[in-house]
Amino acid sequence: MRTVSFYRLLNGKSPVEEFLNSLPGKQAQKVLWVLQLVEELDVVPRQYFKKLVDNEGLWEVRIQFGSDIFRLLGFFDSGTLLILTNGFVKKTQKIPPQEIELAFRRKEEFLARRKKA
């Protein structure tokens, strides 16, 4: 079992929550359904969840709704806690490098903040 949590900025806002709130109802429902699979299934099918290759422990939650493709990026903390850092609409074959950089930067910030606590 995994637990999914959303990264929070220093001001308390959650970029993933804001992304989810920007989606129409049925799309948001599909994203939440996939997140539930990630939490509840021991082995999540690769079509929904996979580790990014050569990207410092980043994972992607993969959602397709009709012709729309969404991705949520994140990392594991303490084994089974998945921290999701950012979400976006995927328009190209590859994940945009700036999204990977953003996820990695937020991972580093999260770990640095936790060390200080």
Side-chain angles (χ1 to χ4, degrees), residues 68-102:
D68 296 319
I69 299 172
F70 307 105
R71 293 292 187 262
L72 303 174
L73 300 181
F75 62 94
F76 277 100
D77 182 44
S78 305
T80 59
L81 177 62
L82 177 63
I83 309 290
L84 295 176
T85 57
N86 51 315
F88 57 96
V89 177
K90 191 169 177 223
K91 298 179 192 268
T92 62
Q93 193 65 22
K94 288 189 174 273
I95 295 174
Q98 67 268 25
E99 295 292 347
I100 292 172
E101 290 165 16
L102 180 60

Short mmCIF file of all heavy atoms in Angstrom, two decimals, residues 68-102:
data_model
loop_
_atom_site.label_atom_id
_atom_site.label_comp_id
_atom_site.label_asym_id
_atom_site.label_seq_id
_atom_site.Cartn_x
_atom_site.Cartn_y
_atom_site.Cartn_z
N ASP A 68 -7.17 13.34 -24.32
CA ASP A 68 -6.35 14.14 -23.40
C ASP A 68 -5.46 13.24 -22.56
O ASP A 68 -5.89 12.19 -22.07
CB ASP A 68 -7.24 14.98 -22.48
CG ASP A 68 -8.06 16.00 -23.24
OD1 ASP A 68 -7.51 16.62 -24.17
OD2 ASP A 68 -9.24 16.18 -22.90
N ILE A 69 -4.21 13.67 -22.40
CA ILE A 69 -3.25 12.92 -21.61
C ILE A 69 -2.72 13.84 -20.50
O ILE A 69 -2.29 14.96 -20.77
CB ILE A 69 -2.08 12.42 -22.48
CG1 ILE A 69 -2.62 11.49 -23.58
CG2 ILE A 69 -1.03 11.71 -21.63
CD1 ILE A 69 -1.59 11.11 -24.61
N PHE A 70 -2.76 13.33 -19.28
CA PHE A 70 -2.30 14.09 -18.12
C PHE A 70 -1.19 13.31 -17.44
O PHE A 70 -1.19 12.08 -17.45
CB PHE A 70 -3.44 14.31 -17.12
CG PHE A 70 -4.66 14.92 -17.73
CD1 PHE A 70 -5.78 14.15 -17.97
CD2 PHE A 70 -4.68 16.25 -18.09
CE1 PHE A 70 -6.91 14.70 -18.55
CE2 PHE A 70 -5.81 16.81 -18.67
CZ PHE A 70 -6.93 16.03 -18.90
N ARG A 71 -0.27 14.05 -16.83
CA ARG A 71 0.80 13.44 -16.06
C ARG A 71 0.95 14.18 -14.74
O ARG A 71 0.86 15.41 -14.68
CB ARG A 71 2.15 13.51 -16.80
CG ARG A 71 2.20 12.68 -18.07
CD ARG A 71 2.15 11.19 -17.76
NE ARG A 71 2.37 10.38 -18.93
CZ ARG A 71 1.40 9.82 -19.65
NH1 ARG A 71 0.14 10.00 -19.32
NH2 ARG A 71 1.69 9.09 -20.70
N LEU A 72 1.20 13.40 -13.70
CA LEU A 72 1.57 13.92 -12.39
C LEU A 72 2.94 13.34 -12.08
O LEU A 72 3.14 12.13 -12.21
CB LEU A 72 0.56 13.50 -11.32
CG LEU A 72 -0.90 13.86 -11.55
CD1 LEU A 72 -1.77 13.23 -10.48
CD2 LEU A 72 -1.08 15.37 -11.56
N LEU A 73 3.88 14.18 -11.70
CA LEU A 73 5.23 13.72 -11.38
C LEU A 73 5.45 13.79 -9.88
O LEU A 73 4.88 14.66 -9.20
CB LEU A 73 6.28 14.57 -12.10
CG LEU A 73 6.22 14.59 -13.62
CD1 LEU A 73 7.34 15.46 -14.18
CD2 LEU A 73 6.29 13.19 -14.20
N GLY A 74 6.28 12.89 -9.38
CA GLY A 74 6.57 12.90 -7.96
C GLY A 74 7.70 11.95 -7.61
O GLY A 74 8.38 11.42 -8.49
N PHE A 75 7.87 11.73 -6.31
CA PHE A 75 8.96 10.90 -5.80
C PHE A 75 8.50 10.20 -4.53
O PHE A 75 7.52 10.62 -3.90
CB PHE A 75 10.20 11.76 -5.52
CG PHE A 75 9.96 12.81 -4.47
CD1 PHE A 75 10.26 12.57 -3.14
CD2 PHE A 75 9.42 14.05 -4.81
CE1 PHE A 75 10.02 13.53 -2.17
CE2 PHE A 75 9.18 15.01 -3.85
CZ PHE A 75 9.48 14.76 -2.53
N PHE A 76 9.22 9.16 -4.17
CA PHE A 76 8.90 8.44 -2.94
C PHE A 76 9.71 8.99 -1.78
O PHE A 76 10.90 9.30 -1.92
CB PHE A 76 9.18 6.94 -3.09
CG PHE A 76 8.06 6.21 -3.75
CD1 PHE A 76 8.13 5.89 -5.09
CD2 PHE A 76 6.92 5.84 -3.04
CE1 PHE A 76 7.09 5.22 -5.72
CE2 PHE A 76 5.88 5.17 -3.66
CZ PHE A 76 5.96 4.86 -5.00
N ASP A 77 9.06 9.10 -0.64
CA ASP A 77 9.71 9.51 0.60
C ASP A 77 9.34 8.45 1.64
O ASP A 77 8.17 8.07 1.75
CB ASP A 77 9.21 10.89 1.03
CG ASP A 77 9.90 11.38 2.29
OD1 ASP A 77 11.12 11.23 2.39
OD2 ASP A 77 9.19 11.89 3.19
N SER A 78 10.29 7.96 2.36
CA SER A 78 10.04 6.96 3.40
C SER A 78 9.38 5.70 2.86
O SER A 78 8.45 5.16 3.46
CB SER A 78 9.19 7.56 4.53
OG SER A 78 9.78 8.72 5.04
N GLY A 79 9.79 5.25 1.70
CA GLY A 79 9.34 3.97 1.18
C GLY A 79 8.01 3.94 0.47
O GLY A 79 7.95 3.67 -0.72
N THR A 80 6.92 4.22 1.18
CA THR A 80 5.60 4.07 0.56
C THR A 80 4.84 5.39 0.43
O THR A 80 3.69 5.39 0.01
CB THR A 80 4.72 3.10 1.37
OG1 THR A 80 4.58 3.59 2.70
CG2 THR A 80 5.34 1.70 1.39
N LEU A 81 5.45 6.50 0.80
CA LEU A 81 4.79 7.80 0.68
C LEU A 81 5.20 8.44 -0.65
O LEU A 81 6.37 8.74 -0.86
CB LEU A 81 5.20 8.72 1.84
CG LEU A 81 4.64 10.14 1.80
CD1 LEU A 81 3.12 10.15 1.85
CD2 LEU A 81 5.21 10.96 2.94
N LEU A 82 4.23 8.60 -1.54
CA LEU A 82 4.48 9.22 -2.84
C LEU A 82 4.09 10.69 -2.76
O LEU A 82 2.93 11.02 -2.51
CB LEU A 82 3.65 8.52 -3.93
CG LEU A 82 3.74 9.09 -5.34
CD1 LEU A 82 5.16 8.99 -5.89
CD2 LEU A 82 2.76 8.40 -6.27
N ILE A 83 5.06 11.57 -2.94
CA ILE A 83 4.83 13.01 -2.93
C ILE A 83 4.72 13.47 -4.38
O ILE A 83 5.69 13.38 -5.14
CB ILE A 83 6.01 13.78 -2.26
CG1 ILE A 83 6.37 13.20 -0.90
CG2 ILE A 83 5.70 15.27 -2.20
CD1 ILE A 83 5.36 13.43 0.19
N LEU A 84 3.55 13.96 -4.78
CA LEU A 84 3.37 14.46 -6.14
C LEU A 84 3.68 15.94 -6.17
O LEU A 84 3.18 16.72 -5.35
CB LEU A 84 1.93 14.19 -6.61
CG LEU A 84 1.59 12.71 -6.76
CD1 LEU A 84 0.12 12.54 -7.13
CD2 LEU A 84 2.50 12.02 -7.77
N THR A 85 4.54 16.34 -7.11
CA THR A 85 5.08 17.70 -7.13
C THR A 85 4.41 18.61 -8.16
O THR A 85 4.30 19.80 -7.95
CB THR A 85 6.58 17.68 -7.44
OG1 THR A 85 6.78 17.00 -8.68
CG2 THR A 85 7.35 16.98 -6.33
N ASN A 86 4.01 18.05 -9.30
CA ASN A 86 3.43 18.88 -10.36
C ASN A 86 2.60 18.03 -11.30
O ASN A 86 2.79 16.82 -11.40
CB ASN A 86 4.51 19.66 -11.13
CG ASN A 86 5.65 18.82 -11.63
OD1 ASN A 86 6.19 17.99 -10.92
ND2 ASN A 86 6.05 19.06 -12.87
N GLY A 87 1.65 18.69 -11.96
CA GLY A 87 0.80 18.04 -12.94
C GLY A 87 0.71 18.89 -14.19
O GLY A 87 0.84 20.12 -14.12
N PHE A 88 0.48 18.24 -15.33
CA PHE A 88 0.41 18.99 -16.58
C PHE A 88 -0.32 18.17 -17.63
O PHE A 88 -0.48 16.95 -17.50
CB PHE A 88 1.82 19.37 -17.07
CG PHE A 88 2.73 18.19 -17.26
CD1 PHE A 88 2.90 17.61 -18.51
CD2 PHE A 88 3.44 17.66 -16.19
CE1 PHE A 88 3.74 16.52 -18.68
CE2 PHE A 88 4.29 16.58 -16.35
CZ PHE A 88 4.43 16.01 -17.60
N VAL A 89 -0.76 18.86 -18.67
CA VAL A 89 -1.36 18.22 -19.83
C VAL A 89 -0.21 17.87 -20.76
O VAL A 89 0.62 18.72 -21.09
CB VAL A 89 -2.36 19.15 -20.53
CG1 VAL A 89 -2.92 18.50 -21.79
CG2 VAL A 89 -3.48 19.56 -19.58
N LYS A 90 -0.14 16.62 -21.18
CA LYS A 90 0.94 16.17 -22.04
C LYS A 90 0.53 16.35 -23.49
O LYS A 90 -0.48 15.82 -23.92
CB LYS A 90 1.27 14.71 -21.74
CG LYS A 90 2.54 14.24 -22.39
CD LYS A 90 2.95 12.89 -21.84
CE LYS A 90 4.18 12.43 -22.58
NZ LYS A 90 4.13 11.05 -22.92
N LYS A 91 1.33 17.10 -24.24
CA LYS A 91 1.00 17.40 -25.64
C LYS A 91 2.00 16.81 -26.62
O LYS A 91 1.78 16.84 -27.81
CB LYS A 91 0.92 18.91 -25.84
CG LYS A 91 -0.17 19.57 -25.01
CD LYS A 91 -0.19 21.05 -25.23
CE LYS A 91 -1.02 21.76 -24.24
NZ LYS A 91 -2.34 22.02 -24.48
N THR A 92 3.11 16.29 -26.12
CA THR A 92 4.14 15.72 -27.00
C THR A 92 4.49 14.31 -26.52
O THR A 92 4.08 13.91 -25.42
CB THR A 92 5.42 16.58 -26.98
OG1 THR A 92 5.94 16.60 -25.65
CG2 THR A 92 5.16 18.00 -27.45
N GLN A 93 5.25 13.60 -27.33
CA GLN A 93 5.62 12.23 -26.99
C GLN A 93 6.44 12.16 -25.70
O GLN A 93 6.22 11.32 -24.86
CB GLN A 93 6.43 11.62 -28.15
CG GLN A 93 6.61 10.14 -28.08
CD GLN A 93 5.31 9.35 -28.21
OE1 GLN A 93 4.33 9.85 -28.74
NE2 GLN A 93 5.29 8.14 -27.71
N LYS A 94 7.39 13.08 -25.56
CA LYS A 94 8.25 13.09 -24.38
C LYS A 94 7.72 14.07 -23.34
O LYS A 94 7.05 15.05 -23.67
CB LYS A 94 9.67 13.51 -24.75
CG LYS A 94 10.43 12.46 -25.53
CD LYS A 94 11.88 12.89 -25.66
CE LYS A 94 12.70 11.81 -26.29
NZ LYS A 94 13.22 10.85 -25.34
N ILE A 95 8.06 13.79 -22.09
CA ILE A 95 7.71 14.73 -21.01
C ILE A 95 8.58 15.97 -21.18
O ILE A 95 9.80 15.85 -21.35
CB ILE A 95 7.96 14.09 -19.63
CG1 ILE A 95 7.02 12.90 -19.43
CG2 ILE A 95 7.77 15.11 -18.52
CD1 ILE A 95 7.27 12.12 -18.17
N PRO A 96 7.98 17.16 -21.13
CA PRO A 96 8.78 18.38 -21.28
C PRO A 96 9.89 18.45 -20.21
O PRO A 96 9.61 18.21 -19.04
CB PRO A 96 7.76 19.50 -21.09
CG PRO A 96 6.45 18.88 -21.41
CD PRO A 96 6.55 17.45 -21.00
N PRO A 97 11.12 18.76 -20.63
CA PRO A 97 12.23 18.81 -19.68
C PRO A 97 11.98 19.76 -18.52
O PRO A 97 12.40 19.49 -17.39
CB PRO A 97 13.42 19.28 -20.52
CG PRO A 97 13.04 19.06 -21.93
CD PRO A 97 11.54 19.05 -21.99
N GLN A 98 11.28 20.86 -18.77
CA GLN A 98 11.04 21.82 -17.68
C GLN A 98 10.14 21.22 -16.60
O GLN A 98 10.27 21.57 -15.43
CB GLN A 98 10.48 23.15 -18.20
CG GLN A 98 9.09 23.09 -18.79
CD GLN A 98 9.07 22.84 -20.28
OE1 GLN A 98 10.01 22.28 -20.84
NE2 GLN A 98 8.00 23.23 -20.94
N GLU A 99 9.26 20.29 -16.96
CA GLU A 99 8.42 19.62 -15.95
C GLU A 99 9.26 18.68 -15.10
O GLU A 99 9.07 18.59 -13.88
CB GLU A 99 7.27 18.86 -16.63
CG GLU A 99 6.27 19.74 -17.35
CD GLU A 99 5.43 20.62 -16.44
OE1 GLU A 99 5.41 20.41 -15.21
OE2 GLU A 99 4.77 21.54 -16.97
N ILE A 100 10.20 17.97 -15.73
CA ILE A 100 11.09 17.09 -14.98
C ILE A 100 11.98 17.91 -14.05
O ILE A 100 12.17 17.57 -12.88
CB ILE A 100 11.93 16.22 -15.94
CG1 ILE A 100 11.01 15.22 -16.66
CG2 ILE A 100 13.05 15.50 -15.20
CD1 ILE A 100 11.66 14.44 -17.77
N GLU A 101 12.51 19.02 -14.56
CA GLU A 101 13.35 19.90 -13.74
C GLU A 101 12.57 20.45 -12.56
O GLU A 101 13.09 20.51 -11.44
CB GLU A 101 13.90 21.04 -14.60
CG GLU A 101 14.94 20.59 -15.60
CD GLU A 101 15.22 21.65 -16.68
OE1 GLU A 101 14.84 22.82 -16.50
OE2 GLU A 101 15.81 21.27 -17.71
N LEU A 102 11.32 20.84 -12.78
CA LEU A 102 10.48 21.36 -11.71
C LEU A 102 10.24 20.29 -10.64
O LEU A 102 10.36 20.56 -9.44
CB LEU A 102 9.14 21.85 -12.29
CG LEU A 102 8.13 22.43 -11.30
CD1 LEU A 102 8.71 23.64 -10.57
CD2 LEU A 102 6.85 22.80 -12.03
#
